[in-house]
Amino acid sequence: MRPQAAASAAGGRRAVCRAPGAHNVCRLLSRRAHGFYARDAGVAHRKNLGLLRKIMCQESTKFKNVWTTHSASPITYERGRIYLDNYQCCISSIAREPRILYQKPKSSKSEKIEDALLLECPLGEMLPSPSDYKSSLIVLTVQNWLLRLSADSGEVLEKTYLAGSCCKFRYLSWDTPQEVMVVKSAQNKLPATAQQAGIQQSVLFCLAVFQVLPLSFIGMLEINKKIFGNSVTDVAVSNGILIVMYSMGLVRLYNFQAICEQFMEQPFDLGHEFNWNGQVGVVGKYPFGLPCNIKITDTPPLLFEASSLENAFQIGGYPWHYIITPNKKKHKGVFHICSLKDNALAKNGIQDMKCCSLEPDWIYFHPDMSGRIIHVGPNLINVLKLKEVKNNTDQMEIAEDFTIVANRENCVNNTVTVTASGRVVKKRFNLLDDDPEQETFQIVDYEDELDLLSTVAVTEIGADGRAHLDFHCNDHGILLKSIPLLESWDVTYSHEVYFDKDLVLHIEQKPNRKFSCYVYQMVCDTAKDDECSSHEKTERLFCKKGGRIFEYI
């Protein structure tokens, strides 16, 4: 029963009768509102991740290459699952030995998957189907089918037909991660014969937008050159913003939600019958697909525009800033950091490493939402921060937070050498900043669950490239752990490195569509230290599972 208030005989003041422990309950509820409930699952999870970080950074902890596999088709990784053969084969990366979760028969070219996104269950929501509570893959096929597959079995859970052959959908992306998904078509280009015949093509791209779990159709729209101009080269939707890019380096931003509200002609639900422009069918079913129910008839209000080399444009920081490169080739590698509010260049806002290298340096806002900026060069990583200019709160300045430097202590680049006979030899050229014989940063990433900044640095030793994965404190840049990668690393190949709690995964693409996947797992057995970290050739065992060959060390 709720405590009742009663009038006190003495003084007429109201006395409140509290249930036993009510004061503590109120305080507990207040702490829970601020995220301080000690028995909350999130608190336990954070503690476990903190323990895992301490264990991983111990000197005795090593990462062992437990198995390797190769493929003639791209290999992708998503949350403990390795997908091969165009998502027809799924292997668990969690077990010490490869465990095939599912293996489908080889699919035809008409069933080829163009793109995929991992879909995970939202917390605290009631979903219509039990299968919705398990991880699934949203995949886009070459025939414009949008499928939702079980991530562990490959079973088809949902099918949605997008459109006929007039529009070729090819790309999946998130507007809001795990909430709103965007399906984008390839750019519509007329064949040369049609262009010679004078046929005009006004629709450049099509975008279909969905709410996920449960999957629901928001709308489809066309990017028409009569509205947005002739020189549009690409479009994207991110965080509620429609981004339109142009061939001359111009980037324009529009409010996507406002566009939907202003130009949507009629909402539609998947699976419901519709009568649209003389067509009768079912929304999301073959052969009708989805109606184009958002018709942009006039140029939407412009939120912001900027001109940048190669359309490179990023927004982040606090207060909001953006990063561009002046739109001239001579400025490649020069980055301007400006206020989004008034376009004012921040103090020290021009960042230029003056690298002499084949590969350019790159810059981006830190993924940890701290508002910091990461600038990566061949031998230097600058982590920058925004702060107010002293005695001028209206202006921000760029200051160095910390720096990570490649290990080039043994690198000697003398322009003049003396031979044993005493002859002086002068070099006619200097080494590039990213010369393979010098340690060079190839990958920089952020591990959000363990709050670590990870780097991959490579040095060419003889004919082989040797790489190591390092983990640095995200707050101060201090080196906490270094993991040698045993396989040779060729800087001319394409590489991806994933770190997922106690797992390191290296995916390599060699010429002629040869793909390799190297799986490392954390071990704490000090007796096997040498085996885990030695580059020397060790005995390899081979086994065959599901028609696929795996290598063990």
Side-chain angles (χ1 to χ4, degrees):
M1 291 180 62
R2 182 178 299 175
Q4 301 293 321
S8 172
R13 291 178 296 176
R14 297 176 65 85
V16 179
C17 300
R18 294 186 182 273
H23 177 72
N24 293 333
V25 170
C26 292
R27 185 171 60 185
L28 178 60
L29 291 173
S30 175
R31 286 177 60 79
R32 287 189 67 175
H34 290 86
F36 294 122
Y37 185 36
R39 288 179 290 176
D40 185 79
V43 173
H45 184 60
R46 284 192 295 274
K47 285 184 177 179
N48 289 340
L49 289 175
L51 290 172
L52 177 61
R53 172 173 161 152
K54 289 180 180 178
I55 293 171
M56 192 207 73
C57 292
Q58 288 176 353
E59 188 176 351
S60 60
T61 302
K62 307 294 180 183
F63 280 77
K64 178 182 178 182
N65 180 205
V66 289
W67 57 268
T68 299
T69 191
H70 307 280
S71 174
S73 61
I75 302 173
T76 56
Y77 173 77
E78 293 285 357
R79 291 283 185 180
R81 304 174 188 87
I82 301 169
Y83 294 96
L84 305 98
D85 301 335
N86 198 233
Y87 294 92
Q88 298 304 297
C89 177
C90 179
I91 304 172
S92 172
S93 64
I94 297 173
R96 291 295 297 269
E97 295 185 1
R99 180 166 60 90
I100 296 178
L101 297 178
Y102 67 81
Q103 174 84 59
K104 291 183 175 183
K106 187 176 181 180
S107 59
S108 64
K109 289 185 178 180
S110 63
E111 297 174 311
K112 179 188 175 187
I113 293 172
E114 295 283 355
D115 205 356
L117 289 176
L118 180 69
L119 188 57
E120 296 186 294
C121 167
L123 299 175
E125 291 188 22
M126 295 294 292
L127 300 174
S129 171
S131 65
D132 294 343
Y133 291 96
K134 296 183 179 180
S135 296
S136 56
L137 279 175
I138 294 280
V139 302
L140 175 63
T141 73
V142 72
Q143 295 287 351
N144 284 346
W145 282 95
L146 191 67
L147 309 178
R148 187 164 74 89
L149 311 178
S150 166
D152 293 324
S153 68
E155 176 190 357
V156 178
L157 304 175
E158 286 183 85
K159 295 178 65 174
T160 302
Y161 187 65
L162 300 176
S165 59
C166 60
C167 190
K168 297 180 180 179
F169 286 96
R170 290 293 179 267
Y171 310 103
L172 297 176
S173 63
W174 291 114
D175 172 19
T176 305
Q178 301 297 327
E179 292 183 18
V180 179
M181 177 183 65
V182 180
V183 189
K184 187 179 78 171
S185 73
Q187 185 172 358
N188 290 332
K189 292 183 179 179
L190 286 173
T193 53
Q195 294 177 10
Q196 292 171 2
I199 299 174
Q200 296 293 320
Q201 173 67 51
S202 59
V203 177
L204 299 172
F205 295 92
C206 290
L207 300 173
V209 186
F210 295 85
Q211 189 87 28
V212 297
L213 284 183
L215 190 67
S216 59
F217 176 56
I218 295 175
M220 183 187 288
L221 67 151
E222 297 173 340
I223 301 299
N224 195 310
K225 65 182 180 182
K226 294 179 181 178
I227 302 297
F228 293 98
N230 293 325
S231 58
V232 174
T233 58
D234 203 359
V235 294
V237 178
S238 178
N239 294 294
I241 301 294
L242 174 65
I243 306 165
V244 183
M245 287 156 272
Y246 295 82
S247 58
M248 58 280 201
L250 189 66
V251 180
R252 287 179 173 161
L253 309 184
Y254 303 90
N255 187 326
F256 184 69
Q257 184 177 353
I259 289 174
C260 293
E261 293 173 355
Q262 181 179 352
F263 298 106
M264 182 177 290
E265 297 184 350
Q266 182 182 338
F268 291 93
D269 295 323
L270 292 174
H272 289 214
E273 290 188 359
F274 73 94
N275 188 333
W276 183 255
N277 294 335
Q279 285 188 320
V280 178
V282 178
V283 180
K285 299 295 183 182
Y286 183 85
F288 302 102
L290 304 173
C292 186
N293 60 337
I294 302 174
K295 296 281 189 180
I296 303 177
T297 55
D298 195 9
T299 306
L302 182 66
L303 289 181
F304 186 83
E305 73 174 7
S307 180
S308 182
L309 188 66
E310 299 174 350
N311 300 111
F313 176 81
Q314 303 175 63
I315 295 178
Y318 182 81
W320 292 109
H321 279 67
Y322 63 90
I323 304 174
I324 60 169
T325 294
N327 198 9
K328 292 183 180 178
K329 288 186 177 180
K330 67 178 182 179
H331 292 305
K332 190 168 185 177
V334 179
F335 303 100
H336 288 199
I337 304 169
C338 306
S339 169
L340 190 66
K341 179 182 177 181
D342 55 10
N343 297 317
L345 182 69
K347 186 179 179 182
N348 302 325
I350 299 178
Q351 296 295 311
D352 183 6
M353 283 192 173
K354 301 186 185 299
C355 301
C356 180
S357 57
L358 293 176
E359 296 296 329
D361 51 326
W362 70 95
I363 193 169
Y364 58 99
F365 286 100
H366 201 310
D368 69 352
M369 306 303 290
S370 65
R372 294 180 295 176
I373 297 167
I374 300 177
H375 188 185
V376 185
N379 66 324
L380 196 66
I381 301 172
N382 285 333
V383 178
L384 311 169
K385 60 184 178 182
L386 286 161
K387 67 176 188 178
E388 290 182 352
V389 174
K390 192 175 182 180
N391 300 325
N392 184 2
T393 56
D394 294 332
Q395 187 184 14
M396 303 297 290
E397 71 172 315
I398 307 300
E400 183 183 290
D401 195 16
F402 62 82
T403 298
I404 300 172
V405 182
N407 182 15
R408 294 187 172 182
E409 293 178 358
N410 299 325
C411 175
V412 179
N413 185 20
N414 293 326
T415 58
V416 179
T417 57
V418 181
T419 65
S421 62
R423 186 167 59 93
V424 176
V425 179
K426 293 184 179 180
K427 290 183 181 179
R428 294 186 178 182
F429 59 90
N430 293 324
L431 289 178
L432 294 172
D433 289 333
D434 60 350
D435 188 277
E437 294 181 3
Q438 305 177 101
E439 184 171 273
T440 303
F441 291 118
Q442 297 290 329
I443 297 174
V444 178
D445 202 358
Y446 173 64
E447 213 303 313
D448 57 345
E449 291 185 307
L450 300 184
D451 193 29
L452 293 170
L453 197 63
S454 64
T455 66
V456 176
V458 181
T459 307
E460 191 174 277
I461 303 173
D464 293 333
R466 293 301 179 193
H468 55 91
L469 172 64
D470 292 348
F471 295 106
H472 298 262
C473 168
N474 186 46
D475 294 326
H476 307 291
I478 301 168
L479 178 63
L480 301 175
K481 187 76 176 176
S482 185
I483 302 169
L485 302 181
L486 303 187
E487 61 277 7
S488 177
W489 185 297
D490 190 321
V491 295
T492 64
Y493 298 167
S494 175
H495 299 267
E496 295 175 80
V497 174
Y498 298 91
F499 174 66
D500 195 353
K501 297 185 180 70
D502 61 343
L503 174 81
V504 171
L505 203 81
H506 173 205
I507 297 175
E508 175 185 48
Q509 180 181 353
K510 300 176 182 177
N512 301 320
R513 294 185 63 81
K514 293 181 180 178
F515 299 84
S516 299
C517 177
Y518 308 89
V519 179
Y520 291 76
Q521 288 190 342
M522 187 171 73
V523 293
C524 298
D525 188 353
T526 56
K528 298 182 179 181
D529 284 359
D530 295 337
E531 178 186 337
C532 298
S533 58
S534 173
H535 285 286
E536 295 179 4
K537 297 291 183 181
T538 55
E539 184 181 355
R540 287 184 173 270
L541 304 176
F542 296 87
C543 78
K544 196 171 184 179
K545 291 185 179 182
R548 183 172 301 280
I549 296 175
F550 297 91
E551 298 178 27
Y552 297 86
I553 293 181

